[in-house]
Amino acid sequence: MTLSLDYAALSDVGRVRRNNEDSAYAGPHLLLLADGMGGAAAGEVASAAAVQVIRRLDTTEISGDDMIEALAGAVHRANERLSELVEEDPEREGMGSTVTALMFDGQRLGLAQLGDSRAYRMRDGQLYQLSHDHTFVQSLVDEGRISQEEAFTHPHRNLILRVLDGRPDSDPDLEILDVRAGDRLLLCSDGLPDYVSDEVISASMADGTPDSVVVELITHALEAGSNDNVTCVVADVVETEPSSGITPQLVGAAAELAQGGTGRPEPTIGVRVGEGSDGGGHTSGLDPEELRYAPRPPKRFPWLRRIAVLVVILGLIGGGAWFAYSWTQKQYYVGTDGDYVAIFKGVEADIPGLTLSNVYERQTLQVDKLPTYSREQVEGNIQADNLAGARTIVSELQRTADECAKPKPTPTPKPSTPPVSKPPASTPPKPPATIPATHPSTTPSTTPSAPVDPDDCDGVR
C-alpha cells in the first residue's frame, strides 16, 4: 500500500527580528526545513541555498535505503554551495544553516539532521522527537549532567555544536524510519520548541488540519515571547489523495529570495508589538539570537594569521625545548674524565650538535685505583639525585680505593713449646733437676687492623 503526504508550511519573522532567516519546503516526497545563521543577510542566503539544493530530492525515483545515500549527497552538495558563496563574498564568512529533512517514498521515511531544528512524529496520540539536537545543552543531557527539564530553561540552550557552514566536517545524522497511515509529522525551527513545551505542541498536533496546526503552533510561539523566526511544516500520512494537492510549498527566506524580495517580510499572523519595542519591530535591547547567529569576522589578511600561528607554534616548541634543557642541567652523575673520576652536570645523550653534559668537578681519584666492580660502575656512569648525592658517591669510591691501597698484614708465627715427657710409673720420682729456661726464637708482632677481603680489591692497578 502506497501512502501520501497531506502537508502545509508556514514561516513567520517573529516579533523581534528584522528579517526571516528560516527557509522551508514541503512537497509530495520531501519535507525540509533550514534555519539560517550569520547575521545581516548571510543567514537568509545560507538557509535559502540549502533548501534550493536539497529540494531536488522531491522525486519518485529514489526509495528504500537509497534515500540515505541521496540525503547525505544532497547535504554535502549544499555544504559545498555555502563554501562557494563565502568565496564569492568574504563578508559571508561565518554563515551557516541547520538542516532537517524527511524524504518519503510512500512506505518509509529517510531522515537527515544537522543542527537544532527538529522533526517530530505524532502517533496514537503520543508525540515523539525523531531528530537529535546538535547543541551544547543536549550534550549535557546525553552525559546525564542535566535533565531534559533543565535543558528547556538553560541559558545556553541555543548554542549549536554542528551546523551546515561550508566546512568539510558538516556531516548529518542519517536514519531510515517507519511510517504508517495516521502519523502526523512536524518539522520546526528552534523558535518553537525553545518557547513552547512538548505538552503544548502535542495538544496542538492532536487536532485540526495541517494548515490549522501550523498557524496554531506559530501563534503559541509568538504568544510565549519567542524572539526568533518561527517556521513549521506539518504533514499527515494518508491513504487517500492529499487535500493539499501535490504542489510544492516554499516559505521563508527561500521564497523571499526566489521572488527577489529584499525588504522585511510582513508577519503571516497579526501579533501585538511587545514591550520595549520601538513600534517597528525593533527592540532597544540586544536580541539573544544575535549572539547565536552573529557572523564571525571575515577572513582578512590570512597571511598575517598564518604567520602569527607559526610564531605561536615555534614559541611553544622553543619554550618546550628550553624547559627540557633546563631540566637536564639540574641533573648530576659520576663518570670518568680521562684517567680520573669526575662529577658531571647534565645528562648523557648523543644529540648531534648539542652537548647536554659537562665536567662539573674533577676528582683526584684515579680510576685504576678502584677495584673492577667499582671501576665498571663509574665507567658506565652512576646517576645521582643531586650534587650532594654525587659527592657522596665519590666519597664512597674514595673510601674503597683507600681500603684497597692498604698493605695486606703478614700472619705472626706462634712460639714453639718443648715437649715434656712423663717419668715411667714404676720408677720412683727423682728430685727435680734444674732445667735452663728456654725463650721463643721469634718475637710476637703487634695486633693488625681489620683484614680486607682480597676479592673486594680485585683489579686494582
Side-chain angles (χ1 to χ4, degrees), residues 118 137-138 141 145-155 157 193-194 197-199:
R118 290 186 178 180
V137 169
Q138 185 60 49
V141 174
R145 297 168 61 181
I146 63 174
S147 66
Q148 194 65 55
E149 292 72 20
E150 292 172 322
F152 186 73
T153 58
H154 197 282
R157 63 184 180 275
D194 280 357
S197 67
D198 286 352
E199 290 75 14

Side-chain angles (χ1 to χ4, degrees), residues 2-3 5 7 25-31 53-64 66-67 70-71 74 77 102-108 246 248:
T2 301
L3 304 173
L5 294 180
Y7 49 83
Y25 174 89
H29 301 282
L30 181 69
L31 306 177
V53 172
I54 301 174
R55 65 179 292 186
R56 298 170 188 167
L57 295 181
D58 188 12
T59 175
T60 59
E61 298 177 0
I62 305 172
S63 62
D66 292 341
M67 292 189 293
L71 284 166
R77 286 192 295 274
L102 286 175
M103 193 173 180
F104 180 62
D105 67 353
Q107 295 180 333
R108 292 192 294 173
I246 59 173

Side-chain angles (χ1 to χ4, degrees), residues 12-64:
D12 194 283
V13 71
R15 294 180 171 183
V16 176
R17 299 184 64 79
R18 293 168 294 179
N19 54 338
N20 195 346
E21 296 181 332
D22 290 355
S23 295
Y25 174 89
H29 301 282
L30 181 69
L31 306 177
L32 173 62
L33 191 143
D35 183 354
M37 60 198 67
E44 299 176 10
V45 173
S47 68
V51 166
Q52 291 297 341
V53 172
I54 301 174
R55 65 179 292 186
R56 298 170 188 167
L57 295 181
D58 188 12
T59 175
T60 59
E61 298 177 0
I62 305 172
S63 62

Side-chain angles (χ1 to χ4, degrees), residues 205-266:
M205 291 274 287
D207 297 307
T209 65
D211 290 289
S212 65
V213 171
V214 292
V215 172
E216 185 175 348
L217 289 173
I218 292 178
T219 300
H220 282 313
L222 298 177
E223 291 179 347
S226 176
N227 57 16
D228 196 5
N229 311 139
V230 187
T231 302
C232 294
V233 177
V234 174
D236 288 340
V237 181
V238 297
E239 296 178 349
T240 60
E241 289 295 325
S243 59
S244 60
I246 59 173
T247 302
Q249 298 180 21
L250 186 65
V251 298
E256 288 293 323
L257 294 178
Q259 297 170 5
T262 57
R264 180 181 186 271
E266 294 298 324

